[in-house]
Amino acid sequence: MSAVRMSAVAAAGMVVAVTAVTGCAEKADGKASDAITVTATDSTCEVSRTTFPAGHIRLAVENKGSKVTEVYVYTPSDQIVTERENIGPGTKATITAEIKAGTYQIACKPGMKGDGIRQKITVTGKGAAKGDARLDAAVAAYRTYVQEQADQTVPVVQQFADAVKAGDVEKAKSLFAPSRVGWERTEPVAESFGDIDPLTDTREDGLEDGQKWTGWHRLEKSLWQDKKAGPEEGALADQLVSDLKDWQTRVGKADITATSMANGAKELLDEVATGKITGEEDRYSHTDLSDFDANVEGALKAYELLKPVAAENDAALTAELDKQFPALTTLLDKYRKSGGSTEFVSYDTVGKDQRKELSDAVNALAEPLSKLAAAVAK
């Protein structure tokens, strides 16, 4: 996950359809001039309109402050509806979204910490009724995929936890990366709940004030840096299993739409760019390439399900994605321990020039992928 994420209480029973993309995507059912502007500074979050009709909207965000900021849309219960991270000083971002009627909050987070500076917004009406059987089928297939990933993850995490509790440091190390694969493939769905991700996948530098450090990376530090798996680690391992079982039961209730699938695919590439490429994600184990590979696999799955509609609406876009996905996966294959292996070399053995090559390939894919949501929303 990214270094900083707010811990929030997930909303119960609230259904929100939303997508977000970067770039110059136009509002699906309106003009670019209809965009709601969000102007962020280090101390303010100004929204040009606080009431607008349900349906497709376009948020034009500009960071006029001196700090990197984030923009979130929250439900009243602080469930994350959509987000955009890492908006640098003097830069802009576009969020194209489909939002149902209700009350929400737009939050700007200068410095990417805390609850943010919030503005209440009201979305009225029913929105445009629009359906495509192919997209409905894509959503159903993706929902099955997400559930399968959760179902496959929990038993491996249990094996990891058992090794920790048995004090078997080397076995626990061998199970650390495999225990994360299903999570990394579908992380945007888990993050949408707000409260699970901070418990399971927060790095030490991403802790909020007063937040207890738990989850994979807390155990990673113990296993690799401290070289121990004692009673404290055993308790943390049990909590990780419990938290991920909670995730497993909740993913079936997640609100998933075609556009949120597309947005999630882009978020997975952002995860690679901001955590895996830098080596910050798995800084003790150096298993970043395993997470990297899982992120790309999850993004590819969403794209493949959406491709029939996206190709019809924007053939040039899908042609580019069909070129960039294989280019990145072929590059990743160079770092597998053997042909077809699910294990990768330690990331601390990957040199600066090689990391630059990987970064360039990620960026080459991320740019067209940012337009996928707009293509399926046409």
Side-chain angles (χ1 to χ4, degrees), residues 267-278 291-293 295-296 362:
E267 286 181 28
L268 286 169
L269 266 291
D270 290 344
E271 290 281 343
V272 174
T274 59
K276 282 70 174 182
I277 290 293
T278 62
D291 286 359
F292 186 149
D293 185 55
N295 287 157
V296 174
V362 169

Side-chain angles (χ1 to χ4, degrees), residues 271-332:
E271 290 281 343
V272 174
T274 59
K276 282 70 174 182
I277 290 293
T278 62
E280 295 175 81
E281 180 77 4
D282 300 313
R283 63 190 63 175
Y284 308 106
S285 63
H286 305 299
T287 55
D288 305 84
L289 288 172
S290 176
D291 286 359
F292 186 149
D293 185 55
N295 287 157
V296 174
E297 288 179 341
L300 178 60
K301 179 67 175 181
Y303 167 61
E304 288 175 338
L305 291 171
L306 297 170
K307 181 180 173 180
V309 173
E312 183 178 292
N313 292 337
D314 193 339
L317 175 64
T318 54
E320 183 66 15
L321 289 170
D322 285 344
K323 180 175 73 173
Q324 297 301 338
F325 264 114
L328 180 54
T329 54
T330 298
L331 185 58
L332 266 173

Side-chain angles (χ1 to χ4, degrees), residues 46 191 248 253 297 306 357 368:
E46 297 179 0
E191 289 180 346
Q248 181 186 23
K253 303 171 186 176
E297 288 179 341
L306 297 170
E357 184 182 28

Side-chain angles (χ1 to χ4, degrees), residues 59-121:
L59 302 179
V61 181
E62 182 174 6
N63 181 6
K64 292 187 175 181
S66 63
K67 301 176 181 178
V68 177
T69 196
E70 300 173 330
V71 173
Y72 288 75
V73 178
Y74 289 114
T75 69
S77 299
D78 270 359
Q79 182 175 347
I80 299 169
V81 174
T82 191
E83 63 183 286
R84 180 57 42 77
E85 300 179 350
N86 298 301
I87 305 171
T91 63
K92 299 179 181 180
T94 300
I95 304 173
T96 301
E98 183 181 352
I99 303 182
K100 294 182 179 180
T103 58
Y104 305 90
Q105 289 181 325
I106 291 178
C108 304
K109 291 189 182 182
M112 302 194 298
K113 283 196 174 185
D115 290 342
I117 304 161
R118 300 196 178 198
Q119 297 287 347
K120 181 179 178 180
I121 60 173

